[in-house]
Amino acid sequence: PVQGGFNDRKGVPLQTLQSYLRGKSAYVSVAMDVNAFPYGTKLRIVELETHYGRPIEFRVVDTGGAFKNKGRTRIDICVE
């Protein structure tokens, strides 16, 4: 199971990196400190785009106890 559940902080189903790469999702869900970015903020991770050879749209849609007061120093990418 997905750590912390299958839905983001607003109850929307989480989108995995693998689902995005297969063309089944419009973005990849990521979790961060609730104060780092507003819900839905789009991010780029250049190293992963280079690795996969394509643009990847990450969106900050989730959070959790591990991110509290971490600001922009910690991110969790939703994967299968």
Side-chain angles (χ1 to χ4, degrees):
V2 176
Q3 180 181 354
F6 293 98
N7 297 323
D8 71 20
R9 67 183 193 225
K10 290 195 174 184
V12 177
L14 294 170
Q15 308 299 312
T16 67
L17 175 61
Q18 290 83 355
S19 179
Y20 180 87
L21 294 173
R22 288 192 299 265
K24 306 236 182 225
S25 299
Y27 62 93
V28 180
S29 301
V30 298
M32 294 184 77
D33 184 327
V34 71
N35 297 310
F37 296 101
Y39 178 90
T41 297
K42 298 175 184 180
L43 300 178
R44 293 186 62 199
I45 302 174
V46 176
E47 294 84 354
L48 287 177
E49 291 182 340
T50 300
H51 176 78
Y52 288 105
R54 59 191 280 196
I56 301 172
E57 184 174 315
F58 297 92
R59 290 188 196 172
V60 181
V61 296
D62 207 13
T63 192
F67 305 102
K68 188 172 183 176
N69 299 319
K70 299 295 182 185
R72 298 178 179 184
T73 65
R74 184 173 287 181
I75 187 170
D76 186 18
I77 299 167
C78 185
V79 297
E80 290 179 359

